[in-house]
Amino acid sequence: MIVLKIFTLVFNGLMALWMICLDCKEKDAAVSVGMKMLILGFVLTMVYIIFN
């Protein structure tokens, strides 16, 4: 179970970093807001996994 938690944390961290990189290049405001919501989702998932 701990291996699954570690894998999920690493995966969500990498996905959040990737979304941050994509968001920096995005010019459209609506797409940028969507990217920020995805980043928030990945980070909140990481926080939930850490505290449980």
Side-chain angles (χ1 to χ4, degrees):
M1 194 61 158
I2 192 78
V3 174
L4 183 61
K5 281 186 176 184
I6 292 172
F7 175 76
T8 307
L9 286 173
V10 169
F11 178 77
N12 281 351
L14 291 174
M15 287 298 290
L17 287 174
W18 182 55
M19 289 293 166
I20 290 169
C21 291
L22 288 178
D23 188 38
C24 291
K25 298 175 184 177
E26 188 57 49
K27 303 294 183 212
D28 188 16
V31 175
S32 182
V33 169
M35 293 280 190
K36 285 179 179 51
M37 291 173 69
L38 282 171
I39 293 166
L40 183 64
F42 284 123
V43 171
L44 289 177
T45 302
M46 289 172 61
V47 170
Y48 177 77
I49 290 171
I50 289 170
F51 285 122
N52 281 333

